Amino acid sequence: NAGVTQTPKFQVLKTGQSMTLQCAQDMNHNSMYWYRQDPGMGLRLIYYSASEGTTDKGEVPNGYNVSRLNKREFSLRLESAAPSQTSVYFCASSPEGGASGANVLTFGAGSRLTVL
Amino acid sequence: LAKTTQPISMDSYEGQEVNITCSHNNIATNDYITWYQQFPSQGPRFIIQGYKTKVTNEVASLFIPADRKSSTLSLPRVSLSDTAVYYCLVGDYAAGNKLTFGGGTRVLVKP
């Protein structure tokens, strides 16, 4: 099993360009998350999807949109990239909501984004 | 929303026990406490999870007092490879799995 797969691993954008980060999990998890981590800092929640068909804002949603395409896939889109969005982006998934084990997250390897 | 507070950093030496305490005063009845480890340039990985009292696995122990307002991760006999950032996470089921991390504790193990 691959777990959580993120693409691309690295990306350089110019200010104003758009791009989509892809995330897929093969563990049949219900919940999926997007976090960003700036250098030397902790993880901040951008958006999350508690289950297929639902998405909700996290702590820092401005400048981002998400799509829960199906149970496996959760994409993050930057419509008009800004230098402040330079960061490492992590996708994560967890088994189910509202029960023991719900907050055991499995993370992807990360996508390093630089906006010039 | 259960918010967590941890020390920013801790230093230790090889072979010592490291204890990291996380404060979560607003923990809800159904919340579990989960700890993660993160190495540079990698995603965090699960270490241990607990609800109350003590939980032990092959890498760590987790101590949770009766009031559950804090928890302590204990790493026995650390080695250089345990140098990492450790995060405490408390599940917020009332918000539909809005799982937000605190700042983490940077642990440096010295020879």
Side-chain angles (χ1 to χ4, degrees):
Chain A
N1 284 345
V4 178
T5 303
Q6 294 183 229
T7 55
K9 287 185 169 50
F10 301 93
Q11 184 71 50
V12 179
L13 293 176
K14 295 181 179 179
T15 297
Q17 288 184 319
S18 62
M19 78 157 298
T20 300
L21 299 176
Q22 307 286 355
C23 175
Q25 51 91 8
D26 61 3
M27 297 169 286
N28 201 36
H29 284 175
N30 283 330
S31 300
M32 298 186 73
Y33 307 80
W34 276 106
Y35 293 90
R36 62 176 286 177
Q37 186 171 40
D38 299 337
M41 305 296 286
L43 297 134
R44 291 186 291 172
L45 180 64
I46 306 171
Y47 270 93
Y48 65 104
S49 172
S51 61
E52 185 179 358
T54 68
T55 60
D56 286 285
K57 295 179 179 178
E59 303 169 278
V60 289
N62 291 345
Y64 305 94
N65 286 304
V66 290
S67 295
R68 183 74 184 267
L69 304 170
N70 48 54
K71 191 170 185 178
R72 290 186 64 247
E73 300 172 287
F74 188 38
S75 63
L76 178 71
R77 183 162 178 82
L78 288 70
E79 291 291 351
S80 179
S84 61
Q85 293 178 303
T86 293
S87 191
V88 179
Y89 291 83
F90 289 102
C91 178
S93 68
S94 66
E96 62 184 46
S100 170
N103 61 345
V104 177
L105 294 162
T106 300
F107 283 83
S111 297
R112 188 175 297 274
L113 175 66
T114 301
V115 183
L116 303 175
Chain B
L1 184 64
K3 186 176 175 63
T4 61
T5 304
Q6 304 173 231
I8 293 174
S9 63
M10 301 178 71
D11 288 358
S12 184
Y13 291 91
E14 282 190 294
Q16 289 190 335
E17 180 181 79
V18 171
N19 295 306
I20 309 170
T21 296
C22 178
S23 171
H24 29 80
N25 290 320
N26 296 325
I27 190 168
T29 302
N30 293 333
D31 285 347
Y32 277 67
I33 301 152
T34 313
W35 285 80
Y36 295 83
Q37 176 190 56
Q38 186 181 28
F39 297 116
S41 302
Q42 294 184 23
R45 67 174 189 174
F46 169 81
I47 300 176
I48 196 166
Q49 182 183 69
Y51 184 80
K52 62 180 179 180
T53 65
K54 177 183 175 181
V55 179
T56 298
N57 63 20
E58 63 276 10
V59 298
S61 294
L62 179 59
F63 299 91
I64 304 169
D67 67 6
R68 302 200 331 121
K69 293 183 183 298
S70 67
S71 59
T72 299
L73 175 72
S74 180
L75 305 172
R77 298 180 298 281
V78 293
S79 64
L80 297 177
S81 63
D82 292 314
T83 292
V85 179
Y86 293 83
Y87 293 94
C88 158
L89 178 65
V90 175
D92 188 344
Y93 301 117
N97 294 317
K98 186 176 182 180
L99 300 177
T100 56
F101 285 80
T105 299
R106 191 174 301 273
V107 173
L108 173 63
V109 180
K110 303 175 183 177

